[in-house]
Amino acid sequence: MLCRVEVWAHDRWRIPLPNGHRFPIDKYRLLRERVQDRVTVLEAEPVPWEWLAAVHEARLLERIRLGELSVREQRGLGLPWSEVLVERGRRSVGGTVAAARRALEQGIGMNLGGGTHHAGRDFARGYCLFNDVAVTLAHLRSRDVARRALVVDCDVHQGDGTAQLLGPDPDAFTLSLHGARNYPFERIPSDLDVDLPSGTGDEEYLRALEDSLETALETLPEPDVAFFLAGADPWEGDRLGRLALTKDGLRARDELVLDRLLETGAAVVVVLAGGYAPDVVDTVDINAATVAAVAARDGALS
Ligand SMILES: [Zn+2]
């Protein structure tokens, strides 16, 4: 029997948003509908609060749980608080944990969400409530199933929350490739930040990616687990990104990262991160191509 790759989704937890809000809530449902003939989509479970507390400050979690974020925090987060927002956030992390468990057993795993890299120990901002990658790594370490981790963050925005949480960690290496003039404007440095000029296209991007991946793997040659944030927002038509990759360029990016990471023998965990195309279908096209690249590489261990 031909086995299909399982991926995790949480699109049934749809947050209420004001009309015209830029957060692409529809992409999660549209992506599941697009790929469910090809992959098995499972429902992500919410992670327990204790797992979040391994990474995030207790007082921040309390404010999130009770809906007591300050006006300033609310504005920084950019999403209105609701009970479903919190539930969705916990399930988004749960999807990354489940994908990581699969990756440890079968080589690769994917969450149709996650990549919430602007969430730090004591802050939740830029549409990111909890840092799924850092929480997942802490969980894997607590179970003694992985220790050394590489994060390859290809979202167009710099991964400041992940940098805060994992940057100082000697067993983790954080690489972020992003638009130099994109949010966040005050950075927390990653182990390796690659600031790309506005308008950077496929060729220069792929060259910078290849070089920086090699540097990362020289520093941490045999990661147990590698997280790939396959952001759709370096696309040329993105509303928030300032780079100019084509859809073909993004597909080449996915293949380059996946092949290089699988080669190291690491468990490879793929998460979506951002994507803000004026027509959400373009973002879904890019994300679906990432799912296809993952599916094509599944079974490498069998
Ligand atoms: Zn982004």
Side-chain angles (χ1 to χ4, degrees):
M1 192 183 111
L2 192 64
C3 290
R4 301 200 308 176
V5 59
E6 303 91 16
V7 300
W8 281 266
H10 56 275
D11 61 287
R12 287 208 298 127
W13 285 268
R14 194 186 159 87
I15 48 172
L17 292 173
N19 280 339
H21 196 284
R22 284 199 289 195
F23 186 76
I25 189 66
D26 288 332
K27 88 169 176 184
Y28 299 92
R29 175 180 56 83
L30 294 170
L31 178 61
R32 176 178 50 75
E33 290 171 358
R34 177 85 73 90
V35 302
Q36 64 191 4
D37 287 343
R38 175 156 196 175
V39 300
T40 301
V41 183
L42 303 173
E43 199 110 274
E45 295 294 323
V47 288
W49 286 95
E50 304 86 76
W51 297 14
L52 300 171
V55 158
H56 295 292
E57 190 188 75
R59 280 175 305 179
L60 171 68
L61 293 178
E62 193 71 353
R63 291 197 298 283
I64 290 174
R65 196 167 62 81
L66 301 173
E68 291 176 354
L69 293 171
S70 69
V71 173
R72 205 179 149 185
E73 285 177 312
Q74 246 331 170
R75 206 177 299 133
L77 178 59
L79 298 170
W81 186 90
S82 60
E83 275 183 24
V84 68
L85 176 81
V86 179
E87 178 75 13
R88 181 182 183 281
R90 290 170 61 206
R91 287 180 185 268
S92 169
V93 178
T96 302
V97 171
R101 284 185 179 144
R102 185 189 195 278
L104 284 163
E105 284 171 12
Q106 313 215 38
I108 197 162
M110 183 165 184
N111 179 12
L112 303 184
T116 39
H117 58 167
H118 300 306
R121 189 180 54 80
D122 52 349
F123 56 83
R125 61 193 181 205
Y127 302 157
C128 300
L129 205 53
F130 310 118
N131 193 303
D132 60 317
V133 165
V135 173
T136 298
L137 178 59
H139 171 70
L140 299 179
R141 285 174 170 177
S142 76
R143 300 286 155 105
D144 259 338
V145 289
R147 167 109 226 125
R148 283 160 309 160
L150 172 62
V151 181
V152 180
D153 186 340
C154 289
D155 187 275
V156 82
H157 304 99
Q158 194 254 356
D160 54 343
T162 310
Q164 185 211 36
L165 290 165
L166 299 180
D169 185 327
D171 287 324
F173 191 96
T174 55
L175 162 63
S176 177
L177 280 93
H178 45 260
R181 292 185 56 221
N182 270 119
Y183 176 93
F185 305 107
E186 279 173 42
R187 304 276 167 87
I188 300 169
S190 312
D191 288 299
L192 180 54
D193 279 311
V194 181
D195 285 294
L196 298 163
S198 300
T200 295
D202 295 345
E203 213 173 298
E204 303 131 274
Y205 184 94
L206 292 169
R207 201 176 312 128
L209 174 60
E210 202 165 2
D211 290 351
S212 54
L213 257 178
E214 288 320 307
T215 306
L217 286 167
E218 275 162 29
T219 316
L220 196 81
E222 288 179 342
D224 302 313
V225 59
F227 296 92
F228 172 33
L229 280 73
D233 47 13
W235 183 55
E236 55 191 345
D238 195 88
R239 277 202 284 190
L240 303 187
R242 291 175 170 272
L243 302 185
L245 274 74
T246 65
K247 289 181 185 176
D248 283 345
L250 288 163
R251 195 169 305 135
R253 171 200 72 175
D254 292 348
E255 289 171 355
L256 171 64
V257 174
L258 292 174
D259 288 339
R260 192 65 191 88
L261 294 180
L262 286 167
E263 222 176 271
T264 67
V268 177
V269 187
V270 184
V271 296
L272 286 191
Y276 309 93
D279 182 348
V280 71
V281 171
D282 288 308
T283 299
V284 174
D285 287 346
I286 295 163
N287 292 155
T290 307
V291 175
V294 167
R297 284 155 182 78
D298 186 46
L301 294 185
S302 61

